[in-house]
Amino acid sequence: MSTDRVHADHVHEHPTWKQYKWVALWLFIITVAEVWAYYIPALVNSKAFVPSILLMMVVKFTIVVMFYMHLKYDHHLFRKLFTGPLTIAGITLVAFLFLFGKL
Amino acid sequence: MATAAAAGAHEAHEHAHYTTTGLNHRKIAMWAFIGSECMLFGSLISTYLVYKGRSVVGPFPHEAWTSPTGQVFKPILNIPVTSASTFVLLMSSLFMVLALAAVENKGKPGYEGLLGSSKFWLAATAAAGATFLGFQAYEFTSFVHEGLTIKTNLFGSSFFTLTGFHGTHVAVGVLWLMTMLFIDMKRGLQPKDAINIDIMALYWHFVDVVWIIIFALVYLIK
Amino acid sequence: MASHAIPTHASAASPSSEQTGLWSWLTTVDHKRIGILYLYTALFYLLVGGLEALLIRTQLAKPNLHVVSAETYNQLFTMHGTTMVFLVVMPLSAAFFNYLIPLQIGARDVAFPRLNAFSYWVYALGGLFITLPIFFGLAPNGGWFGYAPLSGPTYGGGFNMDFWVLGLQILGISSLAAAFNFITTIINLRAPGMTLMRMPMFTWMSFVVQFLIVLAFPVITAALFFLQFDRFFGTQFYEVSAGGDPLLWQHLFWVFGHPEVYILILPAFGLVSEVLPTHSRKPLFGYNVMAYSGIMIGFLGFGVWAHHMFAVGMGPVADSIFSVATMLIGIPTGVKIFNWIATMYGGSLRFPTSMKFAIGLIAMFTIGGISGVMHSSPPSDLQQTDTYFVVAHFHYVLYGGAIMGIFAGIYHYFPKITGRFMSEKIGSWHFWLNFIGLNLTFFPMHFSGMLGMPRRIYTYDAGQGWDLFNLMSTTGTYMLMIAGLVFAYNFFSSRQRGAAAGNDPWGAPTLEWSIPSPPPEYNFAQIPEVASRYPMWDLKAPDRTEGIAHSHADAATIADAHAVPVHEETERRSAKELGIPMPFPTIKPFMVALGILILFSGLIVLHAGHFALAMATMLGGAAFMVGSLYAWLTSPLE
Ligand code: HEM
Ligand SMILES: [Cu+2]
């Protein structure tokens, strides 16, 4: 796991403005879509609303974490340090919803 | 907790010292801290969701409510305003990565102009953070005017606590950004300082992703 | 109080350090001295928690006694539980994390030495904050798990639970800061060649525990914030009349609470895993399985919390899931027991006091483990919950497990820490008094519990069949107190007069035994390069490590670290002579901790109704904290 030392400080090149602006654009578009969906009564009342909001939320979350927080490029150790706790937090949250009759 | 992390976050013990992974101590600690924050916000969000729809009196987030005295309350959440503040926070994350890139690449070709100005991007990030806090202050005061305080009902208690905790994190981030900006103005940040911005950026983006979740779960889903 | 006694006693413990005196202890950033501070403070609290238990048991010795009032009794059992969990076992474990982790992985200090001092001072001040009120009859009185709404403003309106809520918040900061520190230390400061699967088992278990802390403490932090807001700012989280749900507290508390019990026991497991191979003169049986079962326990530990809540009626689905998960977690735990036994099997055994305590842990923890599996079945648990049967169970695992393991660790590492042996003869007395006393105290509780005696009652009527068992328990407690005195005598007299111990008094396999006892401030004059799991046995008893993988780190890494092969270090020179940069002592971590304490105290003033004074205290505390923090962050480490 930790035998692979990173010798230079920046073996992993961080992305640049060229990628970042696309990331920002996508985040913007998805946010617009989220708010838009909120104002379509037919969609809000349908079964698809909650899943689609959740999906968009997850996509935004993933984009920020992968590109802005560099998890896609950085040492795998950081990925483990983040995804482990995130998974436990997620499972606990779902368990709470179940235990309190929200699922 | 934020204090503890910040304390660890600045303690450079590793310069010229051997480390097992070659990674920066503080960056490892910051990721561990973020892992821990997942559980903190996980608990706060769980509580909000568990209590959703269980308040016995209004005002409510998404439904109108008439009090026993005949007073009418609108659904209280203000989606247009919060959408704007969400947009500001998202943009602050862009400014933040650009600040990091500016410090990392100081003096390199392509980073002569605005793109290389770490001062500008740090200031922009801090300003965006402050604007977000301004929106939140506006939201909180207008809620209080409309009759929702932290004491009113379960919704008020859990809503103000959750968003208040998030806002506190933003405020700590703004303070941190301004400290870095101050250092930049005093002596100019160099590529060797990039790790400090990198760690601050991790914190900042994490606060941003927490908002992405809050915005969807609290504001958009009815 | 005892905090004054700490420096003078402990200063002799590290003759290597040039400075002594109170100021040097307030400003130290040396992980070994901080470890010693933790050790002394926590042993002091063991005395406090023990005296509380003694009062509890004296009150219960016979039916209808009135040694203490019902209200005092509530404060006693609440403070006993809170003290033992947060002020004794966790900090005793922290003493070993501090002292041992850097030594075991071949490092000169922890990753963040000043943050480490900060953790200790937050603990020390938080401990006083939560303990002192008992002298004014204001100690917390709602049980160590502070169930809301009993702990909320409606039913717990006095100051008592204020101290509990705020005290636990303060102590949580200490544990979290330490956890980030040790995670970074273990990931990033291992000597060349010390891969994860070569770490000593104590370091492994500590590593798992740090993750449990990082994940479990934020949950109780959130739960406590809700309670704090309910109490001080009028929120309604646990206010039943407003629709608040008491089960919310229970769930949040136990999401923290169950991992917490592993936080209490895994370090002791780690210590025992060091003692057993050393005195069996044989490698730990199934090292990999031991490490993985530790991880398994940690992971599954997050999925069993509601077994504390079978009595609330969660429904068959939830009950079944949590029941099965709880039974599952017994497997990796059982694996550890069998591996320890297999480690001893066929070894050439020695029985110094540390080994007696280690074997004692195996036996006692097994008893507690078995009654634990009994609770995992809801129908059976419904008969046992809230009775003395449960009290018997958790004392077998906490006293028979955690405390016995820590005693094993103290006897084992005393020579390393002080350079002197503890008396084996007195140690043996201590062990047997302790062993008999513990069983005499807690075994009868199985019976009083089965006969229906509820926990947390301050007295009972005669003629219910409980009298004899209670008298036995109380007698055992007095025996335990005598055992404690014997230990204290042994500890202090051995510090002065114990026989001198060399680097490696036990012939142990790991790195901490390659350096002088007590270790010099820089630990390792040269960073060792490790080629196997048992570097010291490679050196001294190579026949024991024949069957174990050996390999060398690559040359670049070794050169990078200026590492040399593992060897015994006998010279004792100063860091300056060797050119090793050491971190400066500093008072700033203490000041930040003090600022936090002042900040929280402001809320007590608020409850007392002095609004302006409260604001002044809180703002003053916050300003002092932030100012000290900036001063700390802007001053160089070394
Ligand atoms: C000196 C030996 C000890 C004795 C005689 C003792 C005795 C007791 C008794 C009689 C109770 C039940 C009080 C009641 O329900 O009314 C109790 C509760 C408790 N004890 Fe101990 N104990 C000892 C050591 C420990 C240790 C070492 C730990 C933990 C590491 C511990 C943790 C607890 C906890 C968590 C409770 C529950 C408190 C509550 O109900 O809120 N005890 N103890
Ligand atoms: Cu449990």
Side-chain angles (χ1 to χ4, degrees):
Chain A
M1 161 177 184
S2 21
T3 40
D4 44 342
R5 296 187 70 217
V6 185
H7 278 282
D9 245 352
H10 282 283
V11 285
H12 50 277
E13 272 309 319
H14 287 167
T16 58
W17 161 245
K18 287 194 197 69
Q19 285 100 334
Y20 286 149
K21 69 173 180 232
W22 290 112
V23 174
L25 189 66
W26 274 111
L27 288 173
F28 175 66
I29 293 173
I30 300 173
T31 308
V32 170
E34 280 179 326
V35 179
W36 198 311
Y38 179 86
Y39 284 108
I40 306 174
L43 180 58
V44 173
N45 294 326
S46 78
K47 278 211 169 72
F49 179 66
V50 173
S52 57
I53 292 285
L54 289 181
L55 182 70
M56 288 189 276
M57 173 188 98
V58 171
V59 172
K60 277 164 75 183
F61 183 100
T62 316
I63 292 179
V64 173
V65 171
M66 295 233 299
F67 294 95
Y68 282 173
M69 295 171 89
H70 306 134
L71 267 199
K72 187 161 180 277
Y73 312 93
D74 253 357
H75 200 277
H76 61 94
L77 179 75
F78 297 137
R79 217 169 306 151
K80 288 184 187 145
L81 280 176
F82 181 62
T83 44
L86 185 69
T87 314
I88 294 187
I91 295 174
T92 312
L93 189 142
V94 174
F96 264 62
L97 294 181
F98 170 74
L99 286 164
F100 286 89
K102 298 273 173 182
L103 283 188
Chain B
M1 263 170 51
T3 355
H10 275 205
E11 204 156 336
H13 190 221
E14 68 269 35
H15 59 91
H17 287 295
Y18 168 81
T19 63
T20 316
T21 58
L23 300 167
N24 180 283
H25 280 347
R26 285 170 295 142
K27 195 164 172 182
I28 296 175
M30 179 48 84
W31 273 112
F33 173 69
I34 289 176
S36 159
E37 292 273 89
C38 287
M39 290 302 282
L40 179 74
F41 280 104
S43 311
L44 295 170
I45 295 171
S46 303
T47 300
Y48 178 85
L49 294 177
V50 162
Y51 276 168
K52 202 167 166 180
R54 290 177 66 156
S55 300
V56 289
V57 297
F60 300 128
H62 301 286
E63 303 92 45
W65 180 65
T66 314
S67 77
T69 58
Q71 207 184 345
V72 177
F73 293 95
K74 297 180 293 164
I76 206 157
L77 293 178
N78 187 335
I79 302 301
V81 166
T82 312
S83 303
S85 74
T86 303
F87 172 71
V88 171
L89 201 59
L90 274 181
M91 284 304 114
S92 81
S93 268
L94 175 63
F95 303 157
M96 186 76 253
V97 287
L98 293 177
L100 174 59
V103 176
E104 274 176 345
N105 300 299
K106 190 137 287 182
K108 287 205 193 133
Y111 287 89
E112 292 89 2
L114 193 59
L115 269 188
S117 170
S118 52
K119 292 186 198 61
F120 176 81
W121 296 114
L122 286 173
T125 318
T131 311
F132 178 85
L133 289 175
F135 272 114
Q136 195 169 40
Y138 166 78
E139 182 191 39
F140 281 15
T141 38
S142 66
F143 282 8
V144 170
H145 282 303
E146 291 171 45
L148 181 77
T149 71
I150 198 165
K151 303 178 185 185
T152 311
N153 56 14
L154 286 181
F155 165 63
S157 296
S158 55
F159 171 83
F160 282 115
T161 303
L162 170 57
T163 54
F165 260 96
H166 178 264
T168 311
H169 278 75
V170 175
V172 170
V174 170
L175 213 63
W176 193 347
L177 278 159
M178 298 210 309
T179 309
M180 283 302 174
L181 179 61
F182 176 78
I183 295 174
D184 199 359
M185 302 212 293
K186 228 173 100 187
R187 64 167 174 82
L189 292 173
Q190 301 304 320
K192 72 171 170 45
D193 300 309
I195 186 71
N196 295 316
I197 305 295
D198 195 359
I199 291 164
M200 175 173 70
L202 288 179
Y203 174 81
W204 189 258
H205 297 308
F206 179 72
V207 173
D208 188 16
V209 293
V210 170
W211 187 256
I212 290 177
I213 296 178
I214 293 179
F215 183 59
L217 294 187
V218 174
Y219 287 87
L220 296 181
I221 295 180
K222 293 192 178 168
Chain C
M1 291 191 42
S3 47
H4 294 303
I6 295 157
T8 36
H9 284 309
S11 55
S14 47
S16 64
S17 49
E18 290 150 66
Q19 292 170 301
T20 46
L22 182 63
W23 185 251
S24 83
W25 287 95
L26 283 172
T27 58
T28 186
V29 291
D30 179 339
H31 71 97
K32 297 179 291 301
R33 300 183 96 201
I34 293 172
I36 290 169
L37 286 172
Y38 265 111
L39 180 66
Y40 275 85
T41 315
L43 284 176
F44 166 72
Y45 280 115
L46 180 61
L47 178 67
V48 173
L51 289 176
E52 284 157 355
L54 192 69
L55 275 171
I56 294 177
R57 278 314 325 171
T58 309
Q59 162 66 23
L60 294 178
K62 285 165 177 284
N64 296 314
L65 285 184
H66 282 280
V67 180
V68 295
S69 67
E71 168 57 28
T72 307
Y73 188 88
N74 288 349
Q75 298 185 13
L76 282 174
F77 74 69
T78 304
M79 280 316 293
H80 164 71
T82 307
T83 303
M84 289 297 191
V85 170
F86 295 102
L87 303 180
V88 176
V89 177
M90 285 186 74
L92 279 175
S93 305
F96 286 104
F97 299 155
N98 269 289
Y99 208 95
L100 290 183
I101 290 176
L103 298 185
Q104 289 200 324
I105 62 176
R108 291 202 170 122
D109 207 325
V110 293
F112 307 109
R114 296 183 289 191
L115 187 63
N116 203 20
F118 170 79
S119 298
Y120 170 74
W121 289 111
V122 173
Y123 155 60
L125 296 174
L128 290 179
F129 182 87
I130 204 167
T131 301
L132 290 181
I134 202 164
F135 294 109
F136 307 93
L138 288 177
N141 53 3
W144 90 277
F145 38 66
Y147 273 6
L150 191 60
S151 51
T154 315
Y155 301 99
F159 288 104
N160 307 55
M161 287 311 276
D162 288 349
F163 288 107
W164 187 82
V165 172
L166 302 177
L168 289 201
Q169 291 287 45
I170 297 173
L171 294 171
I173 297 172
S174 162
S175 306
L176 280 168
F180 300 132
N181 205 346
F182 290 125
I183 287 178
T184 311
T185 304
I186 295 175
I187 289 178
N188 225 16
L189 283 177
R190 280 167 290 131
M194 173 79 69
T195 58
L196 286 180
M197 289 318 264
R198 280 183 190 164
M199 295 196 307
M201 197 47 65
F202 173 74
T203 296
W204 247 120
M205 291 305 107
S206 309
F207 196 41
V208 174
V209 165
Q210 306 314 319
F211 282 100
L212 293 180
I213 292 177
V214 157
L215 296 177
F217 268 76
V219 183
I220 195 179
T221 301
L224 285 167
F225 268 122
F226 301 153
L227 189 56
Q228 186 178 335
F229 289 0
D230 273 9
R231 295 185 64 89
F232 298 101
F233 309 136
T235 55
Q236 314 203 315
F237 286 102
Y238 306 118
E239 190 56 54
V240 181
S241 60
D245 195 335
L247 290 191
L248 178 68
W249 170 271
Q250 295 193 15
H251 278 298
L252 288 172
F253 184 88
W254 289 114
V255 169
F256 151 80
H258 192 84
E260 171 70 12
V261 308
Y262 293 112
I263 293 170
L264 298 173
I265 195 66
L266 286 180
F269 280 4
L271 288 170
V272 165
S273 303
E274 299 298 329
V275 172
L276 285 168
T278 302
H279 296 303
S280 307
R281 287 174 266 196
K282 196 168 154 265
L284 187 66
F285 182 85
Y287 173 100
N288 294 355
V289 180
M290 283 299 237
Y292 289 132
S293 63
I295 298 174
M296 257 339 254
I297 292 177
F299 183 73
L300 285 176
F302 278 94
V304 299
W305 76 84
H307 61 211
H308 296 271
M309 300 168 57
F310 285 140
V312 306
M314 292 174 294
V317 179
D319 276 4
S320 316
I321 294 173
F322 283 107
S323 169
V324 169
T326 306
M327 291 176 189
L328 273 181
I329 209 169
I331 296 173
T333 317
V335 161
K336 282 191 173 291
I337 303 272
F338 285 115
N339 278 8
W340 286 324
I341 296 174
T343 301
M344 290 189 288
Y345 181 80
S348 57
L349 302 181
R350 273 181 315 216
F351 295 99
T353 312
S354 58
M355 186 69 164
K356 294 191 180 105
F357 272 104
I359 297 172
L361 174 141
I362 301 178
M364 297 298 98
F365 186 85
T366 304
I367 297 181
I370 289 173
S371 55
V373 178
M374 293 165 76
H375 304 146
S376 67
S377 159
S380 149
D381 182 62
L382 290 179
Q383 301 302 313
Q384 297 156 1
T385 192
D386 257 329
T387 71
Y388 261 84
F389 191 88
V390 171
V391 179
H393 154 72
F394 66 66
H395 283 91
Y396 268 92
V397 291
L398 288 176
Y399 199 112
I403 294 281
M404 294 268 263
I406 285 165
F407 275 131
I410 291 179
Y411 279 94
H412 194 62
Y413 283 104
F414 190 87
K416 177 56 49 189
I417 298 173
T418 64
R420 294 178 185 281
F421 282 102
M422 279 177 96
S423 156
E424 281 300 325
K425 209 167 99 214
I426 310 179
S428 193
W429 272 98
H430 172 218
F431 170 75
W432 286 110
L433 277 170
N434 191 72
F435 185 78
I436 298 169
L438 137 72
N439 283 291
L440 188 56
T441 306
F442 299 116
F443 205 74
M445 290 185 188
H446 290 113
F447 296 95
S448 43
M450 273 294 144
L451 292 173
M453 177 164 165
R455 68 193 275 205
R456 297 177 173 169
I457 50 162
Y458 91 110
T459 193
Y460 52 93
D461 267 335
Q464 304 182 80
W466 309 342
D467 305 10
L468 174 65
F469 297 123
N470 275 292
L471 192 61
M472 288 166 78
S473 290
T474 304
T475 314
T477 307
Y478 278 88
M479 225 168 137
L480 286 176
M481 290 301 133
I482 297 172
L485 289 179
V486 171
F487 169 74
Y489 175 77
N490 194 358
F491 190 89
F492 289 109
S493 68
S494 303
R495 279 246 359 255
Q496 309 284 319
R497 295 186 292 276
N503 281 12
D504 183 15
W506 311 119
T510 41
L511 280 182
E512 68 271 32
W513 306 102
S514 70
I515 54 177
S517 313
E521 50 179 335
Y522 47 78
N523 299 350
F524 297 89
Q526 282 160 308
I527 298 294
E529 189 256 324
V530 178
S532 88
R533 249 173 227 163
Y534 300 110
M536 288 299 283
W537 280 353
D538 286 344
L539 223 53
K540 292 178 162 182
D543 53 311
R544 289 184 207 156
T545 65
E546 267 162 10
I548 280 166
H550 287 70
S551 69
H552 284 278
D554 62 287
T557 311
I558 296 177
D560 218 9
H562 304 293
V564 298
V566 175
H567 59 285
E568 275 207 82
E569 195 89 58
T570 42
E571 256 185 305
R572 193 186 272 283
R573 288 197 283 164
S574 76
K576 206 180 271 138
E577 284 172 300
L578 291 165
I580 300 173
M582 297 306 295
F584 298 126
T586 165
I587 191 69
K588 286 159 198 137
F590 174 79
M591 285 163 62
V592 178
L594 193 61
I596 292 178
L597 187 80
I598 298 172
L599 177 63
F600 278 92
S601 307
L603 284 170
I604 302 279
V605 182
L606 185 68
H607 188 170
H610 308 293
F611 184 77
L613 183 60
M615 283 299 145
T617 315
M618 285 192 275
L619 290 177
F624 187 72
M625 179 187 89
V626 175
S628 309
L629 191 61
Y630 269 88
W632 161 357
L633 297 179
T634 49
S635 54
L637 176 71
E638 52 185 36

